[in-house]
């Protein structure tokens, strides 16, 4: 049996050599063979959890690197050797001496560094190490992704706790990273495998429903595809057609985002029309021609066209999408792509071979990583990184027609910070497609966005809940971290203001809570926790504003409400946030919310409003 295994292993390795020999010279091929021989020797006594010889894993990783990612000799050598330094007696110096600096660098990046103390955790330090390599070369990340892909393909042999750990890492970091690098197929497989091992019951349920749906729809889909094929042939278009079903994870994600069941999720499959073209101009012409041919026969869903050829996604994805009505009254999702686009969606950032192309493609990603590393003291490193790994993205436009790529479900605030940090910090309103909107409004693909700013407008704490991009999160967190903070916490019952008679109580963590001296809670705490009382001088400060509410009662008359508003906003120079008024039998009762710096400012406002003709009573009321 062992002899058969050895023969099988050797045959698998030879197939890699044969494939690679078509792309590299004899000298490089000899080094590749030497790398495999060293790996086989180093791992000869080791077994995988499956019981197979350990060398089967480096071979499988090397095959992914050579065949699925189409990389060259050095990354394949690194794939063979990627576990040698971590798991055997060989050192990185041994690798450098035998195979050169480049291979040693690639192996070094994918080798987990052993430390007595990790900055945050072993896993996060490993992520940092991998991402740091992007500054120099993307190939090391691709070798690591190939390693992770094979580990996920063989995860069934691991204990459930190990499966959860590895699947969690994959879903959180490696799959989004593959997406960011344009490796659509790797990203999709990693996501799906992660879901399979994290939530096996949900995975099996969706997989079962998907199988049932395939059987139920098979005949109708075959008829639709046949008609598409006939239309293309009749109009002289040479193309191949693929029917592709989305994976259980993709369907689960849609179910979760839309809050619906399996049968109410659309787009569980799509039809891809793939043609050949010599250049980008011909691709555009053919895509539009195919779209015209199909939409002349099938009814097109309004607003369903997405032209990713002229406006590629952030990860480089290109295609032309449209939805067409089938004979059963359902919408069929059509992707019109060239062979080049299909290849690029598989190979991502490595699809175009020129060094300059890859460098330009990764430039923005590198800038984000550098910025994350520099500001990691202000926000969590991984939060910063994963915020830049968009699962999907949209393109919106400035009023001058400049395209801005943002993550799906981004808001006008994200857009503002993407334009410039100062635009975001002083954003007051948005105009989306000419319509006045809140800066918290979610954007959609193709929106034209204009941000209105005011130097006096400043960020609100809740904005952090309405931004998705790393740049917006980092800028806001930095702003709030550097913003002067009030050294006290105000009682949530009596709401003291600067100038009120107050007393403080120091809590277990040293935090002082302020109460008015006549607050029932303060009286009770003084009798029970007298030793925690501290003297406090709660003074007015121009930075701090406090929300208050007043109730105004009076006899209704013409312009009474406008006089009240003018008194607060013009005479007292205060901003109203909420106003409610009710008139019953000519008796008017109005509540007004605004913000003040101190009790003195509030008393001045109350005194000024009390002097208005027909106002009978003005009182401060608590805001619950």
């Amino acid at each position: 049996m062992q002899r058969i295994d050895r023969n099988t292993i050797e045959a698998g390795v030879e197939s890699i050599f044969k494939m690679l020999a078509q792309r590299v010279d004899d000298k490089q091929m000899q080094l590749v063979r030497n790398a495999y021989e060293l790996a086989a020797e180093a791992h000869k006594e080791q077994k995988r959890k499956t019981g197979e010889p350990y060398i089967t894993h480096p071979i499988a990783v090397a095959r992914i690197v050579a065949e699925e990612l189409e990389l060259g000799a050095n990354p394949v050598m690194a794939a063979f050797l990627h576990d040698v330094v971590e798991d055997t007696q060989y050192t990185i110096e041994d690798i450098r001496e035998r195979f050169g600096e480049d291979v040693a660098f690639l192996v070094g990046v994918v080798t987990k560094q052993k430390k007595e103390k990790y900055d945050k955790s072993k896993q996060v330090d490993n992520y940092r190490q991998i991402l740091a390599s992007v500054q120099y070369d993307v190939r090391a990340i691709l070798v690591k992704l190939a390693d992770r892909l094979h580990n996920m393909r063989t995860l069934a042999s691991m204990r459930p706790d190990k499966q959860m750990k590895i699947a969690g890492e994959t879903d959180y970091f490696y799959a989004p990273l593959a997406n960011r690098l344009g490796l659509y197929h790797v990203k999709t497989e990693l996501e799906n495998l992660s879901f399979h091992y994290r939530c096996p019951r949900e995975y099996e349920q969706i997989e079962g429903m998907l199988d049932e749906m395939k059987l139920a729809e098979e005949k109708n889909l075959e008829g639709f595809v046949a008609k598409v094929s006939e239309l293309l042939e009749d109009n002289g278009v040479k193309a191949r057609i693929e029917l592709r079903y989305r994976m259980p994870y993709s369907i689960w994600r849609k179910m979760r985002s839309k809050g619906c069941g399996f049968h109410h999720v659309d787009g569980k499959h799509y039809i891809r029309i793939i043609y050949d073209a010599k250049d980008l101009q011909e691709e555009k012409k053919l895509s539009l021609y195919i779209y015209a041919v199909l939409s002349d026969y099938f009814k097109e869903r309004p607003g369903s066209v997405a032209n990713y050829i002229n406006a590629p996604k952030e990860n480089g994805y290109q295609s032309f999408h449209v939805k067409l009505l089938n004979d059963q009254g359902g919408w069929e999702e059509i992707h019109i792509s060239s062979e080049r686009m299909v290849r690029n969606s598989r190979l991502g950032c490595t699809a175009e071979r020129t060094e300059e192309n890859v460098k330009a493609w990764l430039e923005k990603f590198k800038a984000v990583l550098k910025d994350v590393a520099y500001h990691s003291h202000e926000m969590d490193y991984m939060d910063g990184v994963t915020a830049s790994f968009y699962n999907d993205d949209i393109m919106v436009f400035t009023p001058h027609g400049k395209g801005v790529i943002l993550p799906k479900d981004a808001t006008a605030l994200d857009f503002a910070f993407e334009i410039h940090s100062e635009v975001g910090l002083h954003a007051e309103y948005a105009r989306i497609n000419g319509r006045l909107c809140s800066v918290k409004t979610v954007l959609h693909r193709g929106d034209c966005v204009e941000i209105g700013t005011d130097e006096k407008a400043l960020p609100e704490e809740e904005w952090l809940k309405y931004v998705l991009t790393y740049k917006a999160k980092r800028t806001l967190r930095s702003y709030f971290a550097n913003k002067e903070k009030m050294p006290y916490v105000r009682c949530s019952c009596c709401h003291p203001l600067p100038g009120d008679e107050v007393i403080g109580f120091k809590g277990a963590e040293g935090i002082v809570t302020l109460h008015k001296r006549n607050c029932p809670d303060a009286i009770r705490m003084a009798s029970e926790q007298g030793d925690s009382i501290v003297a406090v001088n709660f003074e007015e400060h121009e930075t701090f504003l406090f929300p208050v509410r007043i109730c105004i009662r009076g006899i209704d008359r013409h312009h009474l409400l406008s006089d009240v508003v003018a008194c607060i906003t013009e005479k007292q120079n205060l901003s109203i946030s909420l106003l409610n008024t009710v008139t019953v039998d000519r008796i008017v009762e109005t509540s007004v919310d605004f913000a003040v710096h101190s009790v003195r400012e509030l008393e001045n406002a109350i005194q000024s409003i009390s002097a208005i003709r027909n106002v009978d009573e003005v009182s401060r009321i608590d805001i619950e």
Side-chain angles (χ1 to χ4, degrees):
M1 183 69 177
Q2 186 62 33
R3 187 169 182 274
I4 295 173
D5 288 344
R6 191 180 303 115
N7 290 341
T8 303
I9 289 169
E10 294 298 332
V13 175
E14 284 300 324
S15 70
I16 296 174
F17 294 157
K18 185 177 179 181
M19 180 195 320
L20 202 59
Q22 300 173 31
R23 306 202 294 266
V24 305
D25 59 33
D26 292 343
K27 184 179 179 181
Q28 288 179 308
M29 274 308 305
Q30 188 55 54
L31 285 172
V32 173
R33 290 180 180 274
N34 294 345
Y36 164 68
E37 288 168 5
L38 176 60
E41 172 63 26
H43 294 300
K44 66 181 179 181
E45 302 298 330
Q46 297 174 337
K47 300 282 186 183
R48 299 200 79 208
K49 295 289 184 182
T50 58
E52 298 172 311
Y54 192 85
I55 191 62
T56 58
H57 171 62
I59 291 170
V61 175
R63 177 177 293 281
I64 293 170
V65 169
E67 182 178 355
E68 297 183 38
L69 300 180
E70 297 185 17
L71 296 177
N74 285 3
V76 173
M77 283 187 267
F80 279 130
L81 300 166
H82 77 275
D83 279 335
V84 163
V85 174
E86 192 174 329
D87 296 340
T88 76
Q89 77 276 15
Y90 289 96
T91 67
I92 203 73
E93 290 303 321
D94 294 328
I95 304 297
R96 185 176 288 108
E97 182 180 332
R98 298 187 189 203
F99 304 103
E101 187 65 43
D102 189 50
V103 175
F105 163 74
L106 296 174
V107 173
V109 170
V110 298
T111 299
K112 294 186 182 75
Q113 302 299 316
K114 294 180 174 66
K115 300 180 182 179
E116 289 186 9
K117 184 179 180 182
Y118 295 94
D119 292 339
K120 185 163 185 182
S121 73
K122 185 177 180 180
Q123 289 162 293
V124 172
D125 277 23
N126 187 36
Y127 300 150
R128 280 179 177 269
Q129 179 183 328
I130 293 165
L131 289 170
S133 71
V134 174
Q135 311 302 327
Y136 312 102
D137 196 326
V138 72
R139 296 171 304 156
I141 284 184
L142 299 178
V143 173
K144 186 61 185 178
L145 284 172
D147 175 36
R148 177 54 55 129
L149 184 56
H150 184 251
N151 282 333
M152 290 300 296
R153 287 172 177 175
T154 55
L155 198 58
S157 61
M158 304 292 281
R159 300 194 316 263
D161 58 320
K162 287 288 187 182
Q163 288 179 344
M164 183 62 200
K165 173 184 176 291
I166 295 170
E169 291 174 348
T170 301
D171 198 49
Y172 176 72
F173 180 74
Y174 291 102
L177 176 59
N179 177 67
R180 189 61 181 76
L181 296 174
L183 299 164
Y184 178 78
H185 291 269
V186 174
K187 169 265 223 188
T188 302
E189 187 174 354
L190 287 176
E191 283 178 339
N192 203 58
L193 288 167
S194 173
F195 181 47
H196 176 69
Y197 288 107
R198 283 186 298 104
C199 308
R201 189 174 65 221
E202 282 187 89
Y203 182 92
E204 288 174 9
Q205 287 173 346
I206 295 174
E207 189 176 45
M209 288 187 285
L210 199 54
D211 288 340
E212 290 177 8
M213 186 198 73
K214 288 178 184 178
L215 286 174
E217 294 183 350
E218 183 178 17
K219 186 175 179 180
N220 291 335
L221 281 174
E222 284 178 355
F224 184 86
V225 170
K227 187 61 186 179
V228 169
S229 181
E230 179 188 327
L231 288 169
L232 295 178
E233 188 175 340
D234 289 349
N235 285 274
V237 178
K238 293 181 179 179
R240 56 190 178 93
I241 302 174
E242 296 178 347
L243 170 60
R244 302 185 70 87
Y245 283 90
R246 289 195 163 89
M247 297 290 189
Y249 176 80
S250 176
I251 295 169
W252 172 84
R253 189 173 62 212
K254 284 189 175 185
M255 290 165 59
R256 187 181 180 191
S257 67
K258 294 185 177 181
C260 64
F262 176 88
H263 296 291
H264 291 91
V265 171
D266 57 1
K268 291 187 277 285
H269 65 266
Y270 62 94
I271 293 164
R272 188 156 68 178
I273 299 169
I274 306 167
Y275 59 84
D276 206 358
K278 63 178 182 292
D279 56 34
L280 181 59
Q281 287 305 313
E282 188 177 359
E283 286 176 341
K284 290 180 180 180
K285 289 178 182 177
L286 271 171
S287 292
L288 290 173
Y289 181 63
I290 293 170
Y291 160 67
V293 166
L294 297 180
S295 57
D296 277 348
Y297 183 86
F298 297 104
K299 185 173 180 58
E300 169 193 342
R301 183 174 182 174
S304 68
V305 168
N307 184 354
Y308 295 116
I309 300 175
N310 287 343
K313 289 189 177 184
E314 181 80 342
N315 60 15
Y317 174 84
Q318 289 183 295
S319 186
F320 188 98
H321 295 189
V322 65
K323 291 182 180 179
L324 303 174
L325 192 66
N326 61 29
D327 291 341
Q328 291 72 46
W331 297 105
E332 295 293 348
E333 185 177 336
I334 311 295
H335 296 185
I336 304 170
S337 312
S338 68
E339 294 286 0
R340 178 192 67 84
M341 295 173 198
V342 172
R343 181 174 181 271
N344 286 8
S345 72
R346 179 170 63 85
L347 298 177
C349 62
T350 64
E352 306 297 336
R353 291 294 169 192
T354 65
E355 183 179 342
E356 195 60 35
N357 181 281
V358 174
K359 183 179 178 181
W361 199 89
L362 290 170
E363 187 174 343
K364 183 177 178 180
F365 186 38
K366 290 181 180 182
V368 168
L369 292 178
K370 286 179 181 177
D371 198 39
V372 170
Y374 181 77
H375 291 97
S376 59
H377 64 286
E378 295 175 3
M379 69 184 289
D380 181 81
Y381 178 80
M382 290 312 299
D383 188 22
V385 169
T386 54
S388 68
F389 292 163
Y390 310 152
N391 176 63
D392 199 0
D393 52 57
I394 60 171
M395 179 174 281
V396 296
F397 298 91
T398 69
H400 300 293
K402 179 185 176 184
V404 177
I405 294 176
L406 295 169
K408 187 179 178 183
D409 297 325
T411 63
L413 277 172
D414 288 300
F415 174 88
F417 281 104
E418 198 69 18
I419 297 301
H420 196 281
S421 58
E422 286 299 310
V423 175
L425 289 172
H426 298 290
E428 188 174 30
Y429 64 87
R431 287 195 185 277
I432 303 173
N433 304 320
R435 184 171 181 267
L436 183 65
C437 297
S438 160
V439 291
K440 300 179 215 170
T441 305
V442 173
L443 302 178
H444 299 91
R445 182 173 288 112
D447 281 345
C448 180
V449 187
E450 179 184 358
I451 302 295
T453 61
D454 187 323
E455 282 300 313
K456 295 179 181 178
L458 296 171
E460 301 169 13
E461 292 274 1
E462 67 170 6
W463 281 12
L464 281 166
K465 297 186 291 186
Y466 293 92
V467 293
L468 293 181
T469 62
Y470 162 72
K471 187 174 181 181
K473 287 182 178 180
R474 194 262 292 166
T475 307
L476 285 172
R477 289 183 183 180
S478 176
Y479 171 82
F480 291 122
N482 295 320
K483 183 181 177 184
E484 188 174 3
K485 293 179 176 62
M486 194 173 69
Y488 311 112
V489 175
R490 296 163 69 224
C491 169
S492 59
C493 297
C494 64
H495 307 291
L497 296 173
D500 277 327
E501 291 184 309
V502 297
I503 193 69
F505 291 85
K506 184 178 285 189
E509 297 179 1
I511 298 172
V512 175
T513 302
L514 298 185
H515 296 258
K516 288 183 184 178
R517 287 176 176 262
N518 61 2
C519 173
D521 281 357
I523 296 169
R524 176 183 54 77
M525 291 171 68
S527 66
E528 296 175 353
Q529 305 168 31
D531 291 341
S532 67
I533 295 176
V534 292
V536 176
N537 189 18
F538 191 27
E539 295 183 336
E540 179 177 342
H541 193 293
E542 63 178 9
T543 305
F544 304 126
L545 281 166
F546 305 94
V548 294
R549 177 175 296 164
I550 61 172
C551 181
I552 305 163
R553 298 187 78 246
I555 303 164
D556 193 21
R557 65 168 172 82
H558 195 50
H559 288 317
L560 175 61
L561 186 59
S562 63
D563 287 348
V564 169
V565 170
C567 181
I568 296 172
T569 59
E570 295 177 20
K571 189 173 181 180
Q572 301 298 318
N573 199 28
L574 301 171
S575 296
I576 294 174
S577 58
L578 184 66
L579 187 149
N580 284 310
T581 186
V582 177
T583 303
V584 178
D585 296 331
R586 298 188 60 78
I587 304 301
V588 61
E589 187 166 307
T590 301
S591 66
V592 187
D593 287 15
F594 51 96
V596 297
H597 293 91
S598 66
V599 70
R600 176 189 58 80
E601 203 167 59
L602 174 60
E603 288 173 349
N604 286 343
I606 290 175
Q607 185 177 0
S608 183
I609 296 168
S610 298
I612 295 173
R613 183 168 61 89
N614 279 28
V615 170
D616 184 68
E617 179 185 357
V618 184
S619 58
R620 175 184 172 186
I621 58 177
D622 284 333
I623 300 176
E624 296 181 0

